[in-house]
């Protein structure tokens, strides 16, 4: 296990569940089910490594356009996952937070999210952040509205305090699985100086071992933040 110098904030675009399922001759939903297991393994691993924030793209503002049955399945899976994970969160000192416009979800899912956030609020280890009905453009517009409502001066600090990620550090390492090389409206502000890694591995096949290798590569990169 590569425990030296873990990045403080890792963000992941978990892509390829559907293709994984198709390859196995299964329904797309089976890919999401398998993907949820990987979420669990990677989260526990990051907590053990000492990563402070793990932000996972679980449902985008654009994902509502998927077939109704798939959207419904994802909603049920999210709720089941959150309820099942509470013990794991508590045992591993993991705090749970959600970002995104949660108002579009059912009351039941909103309540579950709130309950898990509250029950894990005092955990000091990893913060697992799930991006739910999240889109960076939507987040930025909501932040601008908040700035206006509060009549705050437009500064980086004030703006960041109005983002859903207020209080989190910026992303150090961004990973996208499945071979696609794009950001897909994910954390556009927070990724300003992130190191990016794109792997062909489909999310359900992503392992803690591959994450360790990516972190090893990340630690070899020189981050200059615009300097020399
Ligand atoms: C992308 O695969 C994945 C998603 C849109 C949702 C991510 C969801 C999970 C990893 C499982 C549920 C998560 C939790 C936290 C319980 P895709 O469906 O776009 O795959 P494809 O591009 O191969 O079709």
């Amino acid at each position: 296990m590569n425990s030296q110098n873990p990045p403080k904030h890792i963000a992941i675009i978990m892509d390829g569940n559907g293709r994984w399922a198709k390859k196995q001759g299964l329904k797309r939903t089976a890919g999401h089910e398998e993907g949820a297991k990987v979420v669990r393994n990677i989260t526990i691993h990051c907590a053990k490594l000492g990563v402070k924030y793990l932000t996972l793209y679980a449902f985008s503002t654009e994902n509502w356009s998927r077939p109704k049955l798939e959207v419904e399945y994802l909603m049920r899976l999210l709720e089941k996952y959150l309820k099942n994970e509470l013990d794991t969160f508590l045992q591993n000192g993991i705090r749970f937070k959600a970002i995104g416009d949660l108002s579009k979800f059912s009351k039941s899912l909103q309540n579950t999210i709130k309950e898990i956030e509250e029950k894990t609020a005092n955990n000091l280890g990893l913060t697992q952040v799930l991006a739910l009905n999240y889109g960076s453009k939507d987040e930025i517009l909501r932040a601008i509205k908040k700035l206006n409502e509060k009549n705050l001066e437009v500064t980086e600090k004030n703006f960041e305090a109005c983002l859903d990620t207020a209080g989190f550090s910026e992303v150090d390492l961004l990973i996208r699985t499945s071979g696609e090389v794009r950001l897909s409206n994910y954390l556009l502000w927070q990724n300003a100086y992130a190191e990016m890694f794109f792997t062909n591995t489909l999310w359900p096949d992503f392992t803690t071992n591959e994450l360790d290798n990516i972190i090893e590569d990340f630690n070899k990169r020189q981050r200059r933040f615009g300097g020399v």
Side-chain angles (χ1 to χ4, degrees):
M1 190 193 287
N2 178 340
S3 55
Q4 282 173 352
N5 261 342
K8 187 169 176 191
H9 189 160
I10 300 178
I12 309 184
I13 302 175
M14 311 180 289
D15 200 4
N17 292 348
R19 277 162 283 170
W20 179 90
K22 197 171 171 202
K23 262 174 59 184
Q24 325 277 324
L26 300 168
K27 284 197 259 179
R28 291 179 54 81
T29 48
H32 297 314
E33 184 92 32
E34 201 60 25
K37 291 184 198 158
V38 178
V39 167
R40 179 162 205 271
N41 290 343
I42 294 295
T43 300
I44 294 172
H45 190 65
C46 283
K48 292 195 169 135
L49 288 179
V51 174
K52 294 308 287 178
Y53 299 96
L54 174 65
T55 305
L56 303 168
Y57 210 176
F59 195 86
S60 77
T61 45
E62 287 74 34
N63 285 154
W64 297 106
S65 64
R66 293 187 173 213
K68 192 165 167 267
L69 282 178
E70 184 173 340
V71 171
E72 282 170 4
Y73 181 89
L74 278 167
M75 295 299 129
R76 279 199 305 277
L77 181 62
L78 277 168
E79 196 154 352
K80 187 174 89 175
Y81 165 83
L82 285 173
K83 287 182 172 155
N84 282 346
E85 288 314 273
L86 181 60
D87 282 346
T88 307
F89 289 155
L90 296 175
Q91 279 158 19
N92 291 278
I94 299 168
R95 176 171 73 137
F96 170 76
K97 295 286 272 181
I99 57 169
D101 178 3
L102 306 181
S103 68
K104 301 282 185 296
F105 293 121
S106 69
K107 277 279 163 290
S108 162
L109 181 54
Q110 287 184 49
N111 287 339
T112 303
I113 290 168
K114 209 165 150 227
E115 182 194 335
I116 308 295
E117 282 185 337
E118 283 170 4
K119 288 191 169 152
T120 61
N122 294 325
N123 288 345
L124 297 172
L126 173 77
T127 298
Q128 187 209 62
V129 185
L130 283 192
L132 298 170
N133 189 30
Y134 176 87
S136 204
K137 290 184 177 180
D138 177 64
E139 179 195 29
I140 287 170
L141 290 180
R142 286 187 287 105
I144 292 170
K145 281 182 198 152
K146 275 190 227 165
L147 265 182
N148 278 339
E149 275 161 22
K150 294 183 183 169
N151 219 358
L152 288 168
E153 194 191 338
V154 182
T155 63
E156 272 194 29
K157 195 164 165 266
N158 286 343
F159 179 70
E160 280 173 355
C162 291
L163 288 171
D164 295 351
T165 51
F168 306 166
S169 59
E170 63 177 27
V171 177
D172 298 297
L173 168 59
L174 181 276
I175 301 168
R176 181 171 190 146
T177 58
S178 92
E180 311 290 352
V181 184
R182 57 178 170 266
L183 279 178
S184 300
N185 203 10
Y186 194 45
L187 302 170
L188 300 180
W189 175 279
Q190 299 86 341
N191 272 314
Y193 277 102
E195 294 294 327
M196 299 188 180
F197 284 78
F198 298 92
T199 167
N200 288 331
T201 305
L202 304 173
W203 177 249
D205 288 329
F206 192 73
T207 60
T208 56
N209 200 23
E210 182 163 7
L211 177 60
D212 283 343
N213 290 336
I214 291 174
I215 292 177
E216 213 173 294
D217 270 11
F218 166 85
N219 281 327
K220 285 185 200 143
R221 288 201 189 174
Q222 248 199 343
R223 302 184 76 198
R224 290 193 293 274
F225 298 97
V228 286

